[in-house]
Amino acid sequence: MPTVRLMGARAVIGTVAVVTVLAGGAVVADTVVRDRAEATLADELQQQIPGLDSPPDVTIGGFPFLTQVAGGELQQVDIAAPEAVLEGVTLRDLTVRLTGVATDQPTTARTAELAAVLPVDQLPEVGDLPIQLTPRDGTLVAGGSFDLGGLPGIEDAFE
């Protein structure tokens, strides 16, 4: 009788070990694919946005990544760059947070938040952009609507 219990314990330990190895492999695979997608998106953004001397930092949030792709929407994508030129306006310390990002074309996001430093000498250039400037708590807040149609879709990261 004790031998049967020992065999049962070995089977449980073996099953737990196999499940642990498989789960660990899935996490590693998910991380590798996410890292590759982030690097590809960063390279494509650098090619498409003037004034980016190096690829921006791209971080795709949420876990697991592959189920987000399969579901057609990424929870969150963060982009950071030291400088970019958009429509002739130089922005410094640029950060963008997108949520609910579609993984197909056209690229859409449920929400988009952009923060950047706009040098004073660039203020006259802002007049050409479809944004509104509003003073708030000692800072100048810009708001508006922009077309993100030129940005790469997540499927581009897998080509």
Side-chain angles (χ1 to χ4, degrees):
M1 197 91 130
T3 306
V4 172
R5 288 184 190 159
L6 185 58
M7 295 282 268
R10 286 183 183 164
V12 169
I13 291 171
T15 301
V16 169
V18 168
V19 169
T20 301
V21 168
L22 290 175
V27 169
V28 168
D30 189 77
T31 301
V32 167
V33 173
R34 176 195 312 262
D35 290 347
R36 181 174 169 226
E38 289 172 346
T40 301
L41 287 172
D43 289 340
E44 290 185 11
L45 288 170
Q46 181 189 9
Q47 293 172 11
Q48 294 181 16
I49 299 175
L52 286 176
D53 294 333
S54 61
D57 292 326
V58 175
T59 304
I60 300 172
F63 181 81
F65 171 70
L66 292 173
T67 58
Q68 292 180 72
V69 172
E73 182 178 285
L74 302 178
Q75 292 175 11
Q76 182 174 309
V77 177
D78 292 318
I79 303 164
E83 183 174 288
V85 178
L86 300 173
E87 307 251 350
V89 176
T90 301
L91 301 173
R92 295 198 178 106
D93 299 326
L94 177 71
T95 60
V96 178
R97 171 164 285 171
L98 305 169
T99 61
V101 180
T103 59
D104 55 3
Q105 290 288 344
T107 302
T108 59
R110 248 184 288 114
T111 65
E113 297 175 17
L114 179 141
V117 174
L118 178 67
V120 175
D121 64 344
Q122 292 285 304
L123 280 175
E125 302 299 325
V126 174
D128 297 335
L129 296 177
I131 62 173
Q132 297 172 318
L133 297 175
T134 310
R136 183 187 312 154
D137 299 326
T139 61
L140 197 56
V141 177
S145 178
F146 300 92
D147 179 15
L148 298 177
L151 296 181
I154 193 68
E155 79 277 358
D156 296 333
F158 296 106
E159 293 181 343

